[in-house]
């Protein structure tokens, strides 16, 4: 935002003082730095969301896989007892996958909405910033002082509007990174772990049933 504030201050000086300040500042580079920073925030938000969703899915699946493997380990003791419960095991795992899919659909929809908002905010920063800089360069090229002063007056309005909209865009990106993504992660995590816990509980019951069967043989 330093670049935009600098341009805004320059415009005010030019309009109110009637002279055109020419400080040795690389405005293009400053705006590029701001845009790159915002782009990095958006990228980090997307990566954080992707990694969080992966963790949310992989951990519950591992819990269920371990429960299934513990049942399969009993097959060496009695294939007959384990085979008798194969359908229950398959039904439990299938039910868990259906629940996980529901969790995933909800999380994916919310995540897509978040990334859409981040994309729109980032585009506003990009196109708005370059519009301000294009106008600034146009003002610099005017030789006629009246036209130059009028141009800077127009630039002041553009810079003011850009400042206001940029604050909103930056707030959108920050809120997505700091609030909305963690909320999605929390809800999805609770959803998938609940599905896994239900499945593991049923698989533990199946494991106990198989154990009783083996004990009777």
């Amino acid at each position: 935002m330093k670049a935009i504030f600098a341009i805004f201050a320059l415009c005010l000086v030019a309009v109110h003082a009637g002279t055109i300040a020419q400080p040795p500042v690389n405005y293009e580079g400053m705006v590029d730095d701001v845009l790159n920073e915002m782009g990095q925030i958006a990228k980090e938000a997307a990566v954080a969301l992707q990694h969080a969703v992966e963790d949310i899915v992989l951990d519950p699946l591992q819990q269920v896989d371990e429960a299934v493997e513990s049942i399969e380990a009993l097959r060496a003791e009695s294939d007959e007892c384990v085979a008798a419960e194969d359908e229950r095991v398959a039904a439990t795992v299938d039910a868990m996958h259906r629940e996980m899919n529901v969790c995933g659909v909800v999380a994916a929809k919310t995540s897509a909405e978040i990334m859409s908002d981040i994309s729109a905010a980032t585009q506003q920063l990009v196109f708005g910033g370059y519009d301000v800089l294009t106008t600034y360069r146009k003002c610099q090229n005017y030789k006629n002082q009246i036209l130059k002063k009028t141009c800077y007056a127009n630039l002041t309005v553009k810079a003011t509007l850009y400042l206001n909209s940029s604050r909103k865009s930056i707030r959108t990106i920050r809120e997505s990174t700091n609030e909305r993504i963690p909320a999605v992660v929390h809800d999805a995590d609770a959803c998938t772990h609940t599905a896994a816990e239900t499945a593991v509980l049923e698989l533990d019951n199946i494991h106990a049933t198989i154990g009783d069967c083996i004990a009777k043989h």
Side-chain angles (χ1 to χ4, degrees):
M1 296 304 296
K2 291 180 180 178
I4 306 305
F5 278 113
I7 295 173
F8 184 58
L10 177 61
C11 295
L12 290 177
V13 171
V15 170
H16 293 295
T19 59
I20 307 303
Q22 298 290 343
V25 178
N26 181 1
Y27 291 102
E28 289 84 355
M30 292 175 68
V31 171
D32 283 343
D33 288 343
V34 172
L35 298 179
N36 289 336
E37 180 183 356
M38 292 303 100
Q40 185 62 31
I41 293 174
K43 179 180 178 181
E44 290 173 357
V47 172
L49 186 58
Q50 178 183 355
H51 288 173
V53 170
E54 289 175 354
D55 291 339
I56 289 166
V57 172
L58 292 179
D59 182 52
L61 285 178
Q62 183 176 355
Q63 293 179 32
V64 174
D65 286 344
E66 289 174 356
V68 171
E69 287 174 3
S70 70
I71 291 175
E72 283 299 311
L74 297 176
R75 201 177 292 275
E77 298 182 44
S78 175
D79 181 68
E80 181 182 352
C81 289
V82 175
E85 301 297 330
D86 279 347
E87 289 188 7
R88 282 182 65 192
V89 171
T92 300
V93 173
D94 286 344
M96 184 273 298
H97 281 302
R98 286 194 296 272
E99 289 296 321
M100 292 277 284
N101 286 336
V102 172
C103 298
V105 168
V106 174
K109 181 177 183 297
T110 306
S111 300
E113 292 172 354
I114 292 174
M115 296 316 300
S116 176
D117 290 344
I118 290 176
S119 176
T122 302
Q123 288 184 43
Q124 187 280 322
L125 288 169
V126 171
F127 293 115
Y130 280 114
D131 182 45
V132 169
L133 286 179
T134 299
T135 303
Y136 169 68
R137 288 193 288 268
K138 179 181 178 182
C139 294
Q140 282 190 312
N141 291 331
Y142 276 123
K143 302 301 181 183
N144 184 293
Q145 292 300 311
I146 295 177
L147 293 177
K148 187 182 287 283
K149 185 174 180 178
T150 300
C151 182
Y152 271 105
N154 179 47
L155 180 56
T156 300
V157 174
K158 281 191 175 185
T160 301
L161 293 175
Y162 182 64
L163 280 174
N164 292 333
S165 59
S166 292
R167 291 191 190 99
K168 181 178 179 181
S169 295
I170 293 171
R171 185 167 60 250
T172 295
I173 296 174
R174 293 291 187 189
E175 287 178 352
S176 296
T177 304
N178 299 329
E179 299 175 16
R180 296 176 68 190
I181 289 178
V184 171
V185 171
H186 178 272
D187 291 345
D189 185 68
C191 184
T192 57
H193 277 79
T194 296
E197 288 168 4
T198 300
V200 169
L201 180 61
E202 178 61 18
L203 291 170
D204 286 344
N205 290 334
I206 295 172
H207 190 285
T209 299
I210 294 173
D212 291 341
C213 175
I214 293 174
K216 293 176 182 178
H217 281 66

